[in-house]
Amino acid sequence: MDRKRADLIADELEALILEGIFKDGIRLDEVQLAERFNVSRTPIREALQQLSLSGLVEQIPRRGVFVRQPGPVELLEMFEVMAELEAVCARLAASRISDAALADLHEANARCDDAVTAQDADGYYLENERFHAILYRQSGNGFLEQECLRLYRRLQPFRRMQLRARGRLAQSMAEHKAIVTALEQGNGDAAAIAIRGHVAVQGEKFHHLIASLKPAAE
């Protein structure tokens, strides 16, 4: 129960940070947060540890936990690296993916499709996370898989946020289908191109993401 509560608190804290309620650089006090959420300090600590993995907070020894928002340049650089890492995964997976994993990707896409119909960005994100995790595993490279998972966790709040842009869910769904088609055809280059475009936040997607972060930076 505490673990589930910690997850919910982490989601609420993430929203408060990204909406600018908790501004960049402020210290997050465990006692005050425990009072705010009417819980003990244990799920608060667990929630803060989760946020630390995504980089939204920084734990400084003997000082405490502080909100940390990446700047536009840092954010763009991280997404560029993420796009290239996933492109490598897709290229490798095109020749290594199993029939069972392809079926799992189709199932994840079907659930994503349901979320698009319901305009459920959070529900879509959960299945999107599963979709990408399957792809990482099917690269057949354990080191690459772990690096992708690490950076995915770092970018998780921002990947989820950009899904709230108008029309983005449907666009993301179309990109997912193109990725799976390329994998089924064993076309590594096409799969890499498709997922690179899916992950990279350039142009309109990046402008929307930065605009969403403005309240936190002001």
Side-chain angles (χ1 to χ4, degrees):
M1 183 176 294
D2 280 346
R3 181 68 255 169
K4 183 178 180 181
R5 184 59 177 151
D7 292 340
L8 294 173
I9 292 171
D11 287 345
E12 291 186 53
L13 288 173
E14 176 186 297
L16 289 169
I17 292 170
L18 294 177
E19 291 168 8
I21 306 301
F22 290 162
K23 297 186 183 297
D24 188 36
I26 73 162
R27 181 175 178 274
L28 298 177
D29 184 87
E30 287 184 9
V31 174
Q32 293 178 357
L33 290 175
E35 292 175 355
R36 182 187 186 110
F37 292 103
N38 194 29
V39 295
S40 70
R41 293 172 66 178
T42 298
I44 296 297
R45 289 193 191 101
E46 293 175 353
L48 292 175
Q49 287 172 357
Q50 290 185 41
L51 293 179
S52 179
L53 288 175
S54 69
L56 275 183
V57 302
E58 182 179 9
Q59 296 181 321
I60 302 177
R62 296 183 298 279
R63 290 189 58 198
V65 179
F66 296 83
V67 173
R68 182 185 180 279
Q69 286 275 25
V73 173
E74 181 183 0
L75 197 57
L76 179 58
E77 289 175 345
M78 287 191 289
F79 269 104
E80 284 180 342
V81 172
M82 185 84 262
E84 293 304 320
L85 286 176
E86 295 209 25
V88 176
C89 282
R91 185 176 290 108
L92 293 174
S95 61
R96 299 176 179 179
I97 193 167
S98 67
D99 289 339
L102 281 171
D104 288 340
L105 288 177
H106 277 294
E107 181 183 351
N109 269 354
R111 292 181 180 176
C112 283
D113 234 344
D114 291 340
V116 173
T117 301
Q119 285 298 291
D120 179 6
D122 289 336
Y124 184 95
Y125 181 79
L126 290 175
E127 290 305 320
N128 178 71
E129 187 173 26
R130 180 181 172 219
F131 180 94
H132 287 270
I134 293 169
L135 184 64
Y136 303 161
R137 174 61 59 87
Q138 293 303 306
S139 72
N141 185 310
F143 178 79
L144 178 61
E145 178 187 5
Q146 291 306 310
E147 288 300 296
C148 284
L149 289 171
R150 181 187 62 79
L151 189 51
Y152 191 100
R153 285 192 297 267
R154 179 69 179 86
L155 287 170
Q156 181 174 345
F158 308 103
R159 292 183 78 147
R160 178 157 50 190
M161 178 183 288
Q162 58 94 17
L163 288 173
R164 296 192 174 99
R166 186 174 60 184
R168 179 57 192 150
L169 288 180
Q171 182 185 26
S172 178
M173 187 71 252
E175 293 163 359
H176 272 205
K177 291 177 180 178
I179 292 163
V180 174
T181 296
L183 292 172
E184 287 178 322
Q185 295 172 347
N187 190 332
D189 288 341
I193 290 170
I195 202 161
R196 185 183 291 113
H198 174 65
V199 174
V201 286
Q202 298 173 351
E204 184 179 352
K205 281 197 290 184
F206 186 65
H207 290 314
H208 174 81
L209 183 57
I210 295 305
S212 300
L213 291 174
K214 278 184 178 179
E218 291 173 351

